[in-house]
């Protein structure tokens, strides 16, 4: 029996999108009666719905919505942290972000390209290529280990636009992040010196 249905008319915003949306939903409950479903729309919006009624949870984000969220896959949730991935920050690259699952307030950000202060920046992004907007991408679904509090992030090949010699960490890696803080615990690079991503 159908209990409710939610559909957001995003108008031109949705029609102009190159993505099909979030490919699924994430569920969260505080075990005290607050039950929610989170989904990402084709127009880059993260929506929080009451799982029992299908209505927007207006106390989350701005009237139930976080803008500018671009993952193709559903978020992961660990305790009070909602984890999204794939947003692009100019000059820094693609991100993984943690949000307060109740309010939508930002908690932490991790970047898929080594940032200033990370020794892997100068060692693996040669000839100053880390200063460009080129960044490893994040399309796939993250995996959560609730026992260890880790979220595993699959990082795609660095796009083939422009010169970027070196191993380009954290391209072509599986990265384990502390789900509460966003700090990297470990990484494993599958392909060294990636030469380009043909889908860009």
């Amino acid at each position: 029996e159908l209990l409710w249905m939610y559909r957001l008319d995003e108008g031109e915003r949705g029609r102009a999108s190159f993505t099909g949306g979030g490919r699924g939903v994430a569920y969260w409950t505080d075990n005290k009666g607050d039950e929610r479903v989170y989904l990402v729309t084709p127009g880059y919006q993260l929506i929080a719905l009451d799982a029992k009624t299908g209505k927007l949870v207006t106390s989350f984000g701005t009237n139930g919505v976080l803008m500018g969220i671009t993952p193709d896959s559903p978020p992961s949730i660990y305790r009070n942290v909602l984890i999204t991935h794939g947003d692009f920050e100019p000059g820094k690259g693609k991100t993984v972000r943690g949000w307060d699952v109740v309010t939508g307030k930002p908690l932490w950000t991790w970047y898929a390209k080594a940032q200033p202060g990370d020794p892997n920046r100068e060692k693996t992004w040669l000839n100053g290529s880390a200063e460009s907007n080129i960044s490893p991408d994040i399309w796939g679904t993250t995996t959560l280990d609730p026992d260890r509090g880790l979220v595993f992030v699959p990082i795609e090949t660095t796009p083939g636009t422009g010169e970027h010699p070196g191993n380009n960490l954290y391209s072509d890696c599986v990265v384990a992040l502390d789900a509460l803080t966003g700090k990297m615990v470990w990484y494993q690079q599958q392909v060294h010196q990636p030469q380009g991503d043909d889908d860009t």
Side-chain angles (χ1 to χ4, degrees), residues 38-105:
Y38 297 87
L39 66 138
V40 179
T41 72
Y44 314 118
Q45 301 181 84
L46 178 66
I47 308 292
L49 300 176
D50 185 310
K52 291 172 283 190
T53 66
K55 295 182 179 180
L56 285 166
V57 180
T58 56
S59 59
F60 178 85
T62 302
N63 296 320
V65 179
L66 285 180
M67 301 289 288
I69 306 296
T70 60
D72 281 331
S73 301
S76 296
I77 300 175
Y78 178 69
R79 296 186 184 176
N80 69 320
V81 182
L82 177 73
I83 302 167
T84 64
H85 60 279
D87 299 331
F88 180 78
E89 190 171 320
K92 293 188 175 182
K94 292 294 182 110
T95 68
V96 182
R97 298 186 192 274
W99 312 84
D100 186 298
V101 74
V102 176
T103 66
K105 292 181 179 180

Side-chain angles (χ1 to χ4, degrees), residues 27-200:
Y27 171 82
W28 172 85
T29 180
D30 65 355
N31 295 312
K32 298 177 183 179
D34 190 353
E35 297 181 57
R36 303 185 184 186
V37 171
Y38 297 87
L39 66 138
V40 179
T41 72
Y44 314 118
Q45 301 181 84
L46 178 66
I47 308 292
L49 300 176
D50 185 310
K52 291 172 283 190
T53 66
K55 295 182 179 180
L56 285 166
V57 180
T58 56
S59 59
F60 178 85
T62 302
N63 296 320
V65 179
L66 285 180
M67 301 289 288
I69 306 296
T70 60
D72 281 331
S73 301
S76 296
I77 300 175
Y78 178 69
R79 296 186 184 176
N80 69 320
V81 182
L82 177 73
I83 302 167
T84 64
H85 60 279
D87 299 331
F88 180 78
E89 190 171 320
K92 293 188 175 182
K94 292 294 182 110
T95 68
V96 182
R97 298 186 192 274
W99 312 84
D100 186 298
V101 74
V102 176
T103 66
K105 292 181 179 180
L107 299 176
W108 54 259
T109 301
W110 182 84
Y111 297 93
K113 179 168 68 174
Q115 297 297 299
D118 185 331
N120 286 322
R121 184 176 175 88
E122 300 301 326
K123 292 179 181 178
T124 71
W125 290 83
L126 306 181
N127 300 342
S129 59
E131 302 301 326
S132 73
N133 273 330
I134 296 170
S135 173
D137 216 336
I138 310 171
W139 292 104
T141 303
T142 58
T143 301
L144 187 69
D145 181 343
D147 294 330
R148 295 177 176 84
L150 298 176
V151 59
F152 302 103
V153 184
I155 313 294
E156 193 183 1
T157 300
T158 300
T161 52
E163 295 294 327
H164 47 91
N167 287 351
N168 297 162
L169 288 173
Y170 297 95
S171 177
D172 296 287
C173 285
V174 174
V175 176
L177 303 178
D178 184 303
L180 289 179
T181 66
K183 292 182 178 180
M184 185 171 63
V185 178
W186 57 258
Y187 70 89
Q188 177 66 46
Q189 190 173 46
Q190 281 72 44
V191 178
H192 303 298
Q193 296 183 327
Q195 296 304 305
D197 183 352
D198 289 337
D199 75 351
T200 58

